[in-house]
Amino acid sequence: MIQRIKGTMDILPSETPLWRYIEGIMREEAEKYGYGEIRTPTFENTELFVRGVGDTTDVVQKEMYTFADRDEDRSISLRPEGTASVARAIIENGKCSDPMPLKYYYIISCFRHEKPQAGRSREFYQFGTEMFGSTSPASDATAIALASSVLRRLGLKNVKLHINSIGCKECRPAYRASLVEHFSSRRDKLCDTCKTRLEKNPLRLLDCKNPDCREGAELAPKTTEHLCPSCERSFNLLKNALDAMKIDYVVDSSIVRGLDYYTGTVFEFIADGIGAQSTVCGGGRYDGLVASLGGPELSGIGFAMGITRLIMAMREAGVDKIETKTPKVYIAAMGEGAMIKGLEIAERLRREGVFAECDVVGRSLKAQMKYANKISAEYTLIIGESELESGKAQLRNMQNGEQSEVELDSFVI
Ligand code: HAM
């Protein structure tokens, strides 16, 4: 048997109602905040992610699904995330001169060649939002408020917001130098990955999970103590805005994010009780991204949520049971004539907007009634020879067993 590729998943009809419920809330909330949906291609020129996400990141170095295009000498990658594509799309579609801010959201699948485990797959689904054209912390607060209102509507109380500021191009170099100094003195204790990160991307040492690296990270200088006056003011304003909006948070200097485009505000929503992959939402400001892709200087702030991780957190919180649609009526038919009549009635009812099902397997009456129970039909209608002759049949309420006689050709339900 051919099996699905490791790290991918089948989402079956028994699960899709929960997915659609979650996605519905995401769309509703995003639109309430003035975001419009954008759809970009599943694959892009590899160069977009190398420049956008950053060539020192794990995502670009180790995790992208990259291949040569068939008909041209061109390298293509499946998108590992959505932000770079949205930034490319606004440049390419001439949106950078529109009135600001631009606000977009998306629900997409992304691809990363990571080691699969609970909450981490190679194809995964994200709800993401991006806002361009504001450097004000009001836009950071709005993005965070949208993420938190989605989580609230999903019933997730076991999720905590962690915020940090990683500074801008003014304050980052001095902070970077102090980090390099701090970690260089304990270089021998670092894991191999962090040894290379020390030269290329020292900020990432702060979120390494290796216990020895963690110990060093805890003693490391904090970004928030090295902010320039402008970043400090923005971070304080953001905290004031979150307080005013009654959104709880903790300032957490270990939040540095794994993608190179971040500047200033970064944040994660972390869930309790779902294991190691507990970040259900991650985001931040990316003020240099659009310019780095050939567009104008246009700041940005956004986030993305992993839908599988949200489902895990909803299960943990016991809020994953949602109402699903069940048939209003199931028509059991005995014999060919009754089957045709059953199809005719079911189709008439559906055209009137009713969820109606009719036997298509030709099972025994007993088996059909068992099936009607299994699919939780509200009513059943049994048609046999005598019902065909009289044009009437008993409509049975499956909850209380009550029956009423109805005209086959004209009854409404
Ligand atoms: P990210 O932190 O790489 O950020 O991913 C965002 C979220 O996607 C994570 O918090 C997690 O819930 C989910 N996720 C990531 N990788 C996986 C995986 N392998 N399996 C399952 N879920 C996963 C970004 O992607 C940024 N583009 C977010 C952003 C938008 N920043 C600004 N705008």
Side-chain angles (χ1 to χ4, degrees):
M1 195 199 80
I2 300 170
Q3 294 186 323
R4 66 172 185 264
I5 290 173
K6 194 174 155 188
T8 63
M9 58 189 155
D10 299 312
I11 306 167
L12 301 174
S14 55
E15 299 157 297
T16 43
L18 180 61
W19 283 74
R20 286 163 49 138
Y21 163 78
I22 295 170
E23 289 164 8
I25 286 181
M26 291 165 165
R27 288 177 196 284
E28 269 177 39
E29 288 303 307
E31 285 165 21
K32 217 190 264 177
Y33 282 74
Y35 287 72
E37 184 178 359
I38 184 166
R39 300 188 186 195
T40 60
T42 308
F43 51 86
E44 300 262 9
N45 283 303
T46 302
E47 184 62 19
L48 172 69
F49 304 115
V50 173
R51 274 211 268 159
V53 175
D55 54 2
T56 67
T57 58
D58 286 353
V59 169
V60 167
Q61 277 190 349
K62 305 183 197 159
E63 297 166 4
M64 276 209 300
Y65 281 91
T66 297
F67 51 94
D69 203 352
R70 270 181 194 278
D71 52 3
E72 278 177 69
D73 184 15
R74 179 171 55 191
S75 174
I76 280 182
S77 293
L78 299 183
R79 63 178 164 220
E81 58 104 52
T83 313
S85 299
V86 178
R88 177 204 49 71
I90 63 159
I91 303 169
E92 194 165 343
N93 292 283
K95 297 289 167 200
C96 298
S97 46
D98 280 8
M100 294 294 149
L102 305 172
K103 294 194 270 185
Y104 298 102
Y105 79 89
Y106 48 87
I107 298 175
I108 54 171
S109 54
C110 300
F111 307 85
R112 295 185 195 173
H113 193 277
E114 293 190 89
K115 201 161 173 246
Q117 64 179 90
R120 190 161 73 189
S121 46
R122 292 183 171 170
E123 181 181 19
F124 60 97
Y125 297 85
Q126 276 191 348
F127 160 62
T129 78
E130 314 296 349
M131 183 185 331
F132 299 91
S134 167
T135 51
S136 163
S139 60
D140 306 33
T142 303
I144 292 176
L146 166 54
S148 106
S149 80
V150 168
L151 299 172
R152 193 177 331 113
R153 277 208 47 203
L154 293 177
L156 290 173
K157 298 199 181 81
N158 52 343
V159 172
K160 200 173 216 162
L161 167 63
H162 296 238
I163 62 169
N164 191 22
S165 172
I166 54 171
C168 63
K169 51 179 188 285
E170 298 300 319
C171 40
R172 190 87 68 84
Y175 178 63
R176 193 180 189 279
S178 73
L179 271 187
V180 173
E181 195 186 321
H182 167 79
F183 282 109
S184 296
S185 64
R186 40 193 312 135
R187 195 172 194 283
D188 294 347
K189 287 188 171 175
L190 298 176
C191 71
D192 288 344
T193 319
C194 280
K195 279 185 184 132
T196 33
R197 281 174 174 163
L198 186 56
E199 275 91 53
K200 291 188 176 155
N201 198 349
L203 219 62
R204 292 301 316 281
L205 270 76
L206 297 174
D207 72 350
C208 181
K209 303 283 181 282
N210 179 298
D212 287 333
C213 303
R214 275 243 53 77
E215 198 186 303
E218 267 151 36
L219 300 168
K222 298 203 176 347
T223 48
T224 43
E225 287 159 8
H226 286 74
L227 296 179
C228 65
S230 160
C231 283
E232 190 171 4
R233 194 170 157 271
S234 293
F235 196 49
N236 286 335
L237 271 171
L238 170 63
K239 288 187 280 183
N240 291 343
L242 293 177
D243 291 337
M245 294 164 108
K246 300 191 175 51
I247 296 169
D248 292 338
Y249 59 87
V250 288
V251 175
D252 179 349
S253 57
S254 74
I255 304 293
V256 290
R257 312 283 300 130
L259 313 172
D260 273 359
Y261 48 61
Y262 290 113
T263 52
T265 305
V266 285
F267 59 93
E268 289 184 358
F269 286 84
I270 300 175
D272 265 351
I274 63 164
Q277 303 306 316
S278 55
T279 303
V280 291
C281 173
R285 181 161 275 289
Y286 44 86
D287 288 347
L289 176 63
V290 176
S292 78
L293 297 177
E297 284 293 336
L298 200 62
S299 49
I301 170 89
F303 66 80
M305 296 182 178
I307 301 181
T308 12
R309 292 189 195 173
L310 288 176
I311 291 176
M312 287 163 65
M314 288 172 76
R315 293 225 159 96
E316 177 65 23
V319 292
D320 61 319
K321 307 278 176 294
I322 54 151
E323 257 183 45
T324 50
K325 281 204 175 124
T326 48
K328 186 84 179 167
V329 58
Y330 177 80
I331 302 168
M334 298 303 300
E336 278 180 3
M339 182 190 76
I340 300 287
K341 192 72 189 169
L343 289 173
E344 179 195 320
I345 298 169
E347 195 54 21
R348 171 174 70 78
L349 291 172
R350 289 174 192 140
R351 287 181 196 186
E352 288 164 11
V354 176
F355 180 177
E357 284 209 50
C358 173
D359 178 60
V360 290
V361 182
R363 282 180 281 224
S364 70
L365 183 60
K366 198 171 155 211
Q368 290 190 44
M369 295 313 283
K370 206 168 149 194
Y371 181 73
N373 254 322
K374 190 168 177 292
I375 60 173
S376 306
E378 203 177 322
Y379 292 91
T380 51
L381 186 79
I382 302 174
I383 315 176
E385 285 304 318
S386 62
E387 285 79 9
L388 270 186
E389 259 169 45
S390 67
K392 292 180 176 140
Q394 295 296 321
L395 184 68
R396 182 186 169 85
N397 181 322
M398 297 295 277
Q399 283 281 303
N400 57 19
E402 273 173 22
Q403 306 214 71
S404 55
E405 193 176 73
V406 294
E407 297 279 344
L408 291 182
D409 288 336
S410 58
F411 79 97
V412 286
I413 194 164

